[in-house]
Amino acid sequence: MPVQIIVGAQWGDEGKGKIVDHLSEEIDIVARYQGGANAGHTVVVPVKGPNGVTNKEYVLHLIPSGIFHRHVTCVIGNGVVLDPAALMTEIEQLRQLGVKIEGRLLISHNAHLIMPYHKLLDNIREQSDQKIGTTGRGIGPAYIDKYMRTGIRVVDLLDRDVLCKKLKRNIEEKNQFLSRVYNSKELDVDAIINEYQEFDKKIDEYVTDTSAFLNAALQKKKKILAEGAQGALLDVDHGTYPFVTSSSPTSGGACTGLGIPPTSITSIVGVAKAYSTRVGNGPFPTEQENDIGERLRTTGGEYGATTGRPRRCGWLDLVSLRYSIRVNGIQKIAMTKLDVLDAFDEIKVCVAYRINGKRVTDFPTDVQALQRIEPEYRVLKGWKAKSSGVRSYGKLPVRARNYIETVARLLKTRIWMVSVGARRDQTLMVR
Ligand code: GDP
Ligand code: IMO
Ligand code: MG
């Protein structure tokens, strides 16, 4: 199993962090391939203290979710847009928790850097009528510069002259734009240069050619897990454009974002919640803007791990999930947060859409069509029993298993793993 890809199969926050941490026990390398500090991957780990073992929750934004397993090397790939300030904060927090980072974290020399002006531009745009509800982490503007070929990469930090030249040119250009379009105050070139030159010293020990590292690891038959951020429906090509992120969370992004060949991929796992959530604007066919949505939000703790925003909640949408399985090539599903449905009398799953009275089972990606959708639901009886204490699949209530097996059948895809709580031991393998 050289490379296993873990993708979010919905609109992000499916519980990828938990699943990656769980799988990392048997993995050598965990590598993030896209996105940036817009991600918030929650991992709950047992920590030994004077009063015994307690479970602690950590939210990772840039560092791969394998970091809590000492034997795992973590890689930030070339496809990631790296905010050095956010990275330094994250490294410091992990160090304080006693997590060893030295020798275990590698950063691609080709990853692009998020600059203060990217965050500024992101936030200014979010105040306009083109707002899409971004995380405000500068992601879109950083990828714009990457594809404009004016971006500054990690490798540029290591050469002061190059860094100064590129930064000056970029800041002058952004200043012109900011004053012309937004009448905004100018960015201070020297302050930014000084701040970023400091990162050079701090980041140097981690920087390497991660593509070469990963390909050498493949030769040695090391087990690699490629960790996606966000989800397929937020993919810039395959998601609900323009309400998407600016990178490729789908499985194809793993090869370009890490510099590994498609032939090295042996397994693709999609992580999906037992219901649906979305943060930010954009179509969400099964959204429940009512008591049900509120109940899912409260029971599931559905508040953004990065921005704290309440997540929009709704029933599981098998039409979009089938589409996600297709564009990612998902072979098996890790279904999370089953426990959140424990107390519902009945649970709905969307099996088809109706657009202008016509029944549709293929996911339309144009926003106009998606906004006119009426979901067609199949109603299943709830199991009305606590699942969070269950430790083997066979011990789940019959109706809970029926829910999982119905979903698998309708998706024509295997459900491989079921999560019934945020902790490591709340993970059931489906046999
Ligand atoms: P990610 O971005 O895909 O890694 O997901 P997030 O960390 O943003 O959001 C998932 C949330 O659900 C986190 O608070 C997790 O701790 C929590 N979580 C993960 N799996 C389960 C589960 O099976 N049950 C419950 N109740 N919570 C879970
Ligand atoms: P993880 O990895 C959920 C959403 C934002 C917004 C859109 C674009 O934790 O699943 P961006 O800041 O990327 O330009 O925002 O994408 N978004 C996420 N939603 N989980 C995430 O990450 C997200 N990252 C971005 O809310 O709608
Ligand atoms: Mg998240």
Side-chain angles (χ1 to χ4, degrees), residues 1 4 6 18-26 267 269-270 332-336 338 387 390-396 401 404-405 414-421 423-431:
M1 195 256 0
Q4 181 168 49
I6 306 294
K18 168 181 168 161
I19 299 299
V20 170
D21 170 70
H22 175 80
L23 295 173
S24 292
E25 209 164 310
E26 293 183 3
S267 151
V269 178
K332 47 192 184 181
I333 291 176
M335 182 189 268
T336 59
L338 183 80
S387 65
V390 173
R391 292 292 171 270
S392 77
Y393 181 73
K395 298 255 165 66
L396 278 175
R401 273 184 284 144
I404 295 161
E405 284 154 27
R414 179 179 164 207
I415 296 182
W416 176 55
M417 196 187 272
V418 176
S419 171
V420 292
R423 297 199 317 258
R424 281 180 181 166
D425 62 350
Q426 292 174 308
T427 317
L428 320 176
M429 299 309 294
V430 182
R431 307 212 190 269

Side-chain angles (χ1 to χ4, degrees), residues 8 12-19 39-44 57-60 65 227-230 271 273 275 299-306 311 335-340 388 418-423 426:
D13 302 328
E14 297 90 349
K16 299 176 290 293
K18 168 181 168 161
I19 299 299
H41 296 172
T42 314
V43 179
V44 176
E57 182 186 280
Y58 304 107
V59 180
L60 300 163
S65 306
E227 178 182 16
Q230 291 82 52
V271 185
K273 277 178 192 169
Y275 51 97
T299 316
E302 296 296 356
Y303 294 88
T306 297
R311 294 175 183 149
M335 182 189 268
T336 59
K337 304 192 94 160
L338 183 80
D339 54 300
V340 176
S388 55
V418 176
S419 171
V420 292
R423 297 199 317 258
Q426 292 174 308

Side-chain angles (χ1 to χ4, degrees), residues 303-320:
Y303 294 88
T306 297
T307 58
R309 290 179 289 176
R311 294 175 183 149
R312 299 158 62 192
C313 298
W315 295 119
L316 187 62
D317 179 354
L318 299 183
V319 182
S320 64

